[in-house]
Amino acid sequence: MSLQHWPQTMSPWLVPSVVVFSLAAGLSASSQDDLATGRFYEIVGGKVDARTYNGFRRYHGSCNHCHGPDGMGSTFASALVDRLPGIEVFRRNVRDGVRSGPSVMKGFADDPNVAPYIDDIYAYLQARADGALGRGRPERLER
């Protein structure tokens, strides 16, 4: 096959596929960079990404009753923003629960409002723990 016939035999889907793949790779690069650095949240101009915003909503729907508003703790459950564990420990604790002396947190592995969103909740708490996000409802970054 000569080079002058190559364009005629090339699949018509090849170029659009390459363009779409390249754009998708470029768009996800920043979130991949964040995950590579261990940061699960993104904040731009004081506004949070969808994951972190959803984490705020899920946290305040299920977790703040014990751990206090904005992860600040309460009289019977620890503050989560003071010493946020790594993601694997956090996932295990939320799924399986925690027993520490007389203190007990039930596991949420079967809770459809928590289990699928553990990483989102972590993103919100991590942003709070890092000091990148203040108290109260964050503004959502529109994409």
Side-chain angles (χ1 to χ4, degrees):
M1 175 160 101
S2 72
L3 287 178
Q4 52 185 244
H5 293 322
W6 182 73
Q8 295 170 358
T9 60
M10 185 172 64
S11 167
W13 296 105
L14 181 62
V15 173
S17 298
V18 169
V19 169
V20 167
F21 177 74
S22 298
L23 285 173
L27 289 175
S28 68
S30 66
S31 60
Q32 293 298 324
D33 291 343
D34 288 344
L35 291 178
T37 62
R39 195 173 73 197
F40 281 69
Y41 61 89
E42 180 182 5
I43 300 176
V44 177
K47 297 180 181 182
V48 300
D49 61 305
R51 167 188 265 183
T52 306
Y53 186 79
N54 189 47
F56 165 83
R57 291 179 50 247
R58 299 294 173 169
Y59 174 85
H60 284 86
S62 299
C63 311
N64 79 322
H65 309 300
C66 295
H67 290 284
D70 305 306
M72 299 297 291
S74 71
T75 57
F76 57 93
S78 63
L80 297 172
V81 297
D82 291 342
R83 289 181 303 190
L84 186 65
I87 185 64
E88 292 304 324
V89 171
F90 184 80
R91 286 175 182 149
R92 185 177 59 247
N93 289 349
V94 173
R95 277 193 312 263
D96 302 340
V98 177
R99 178 179 297 274
S100 177
S103 195
V104 177
M105 180 182 94
K106 73 172 189 144
F108 290 88
D110 296 327
D111 188 325
N113 295 307
V114 176
Y117 307 105
I118 293 172
D119 287 3
D120 294 5
I121 295 167
Y122 188 84
Y124 164 69
L125 291 171
Q126 186 183 48
R128 291 277 303 122
D130 288 352
L133 184 61
R135 296 189 73 178
R137 181 180 291 273
E139 285 188 64
R140 186 172 177 182
L141 181 63
E142 299 298 327
R143 296 213 182 233

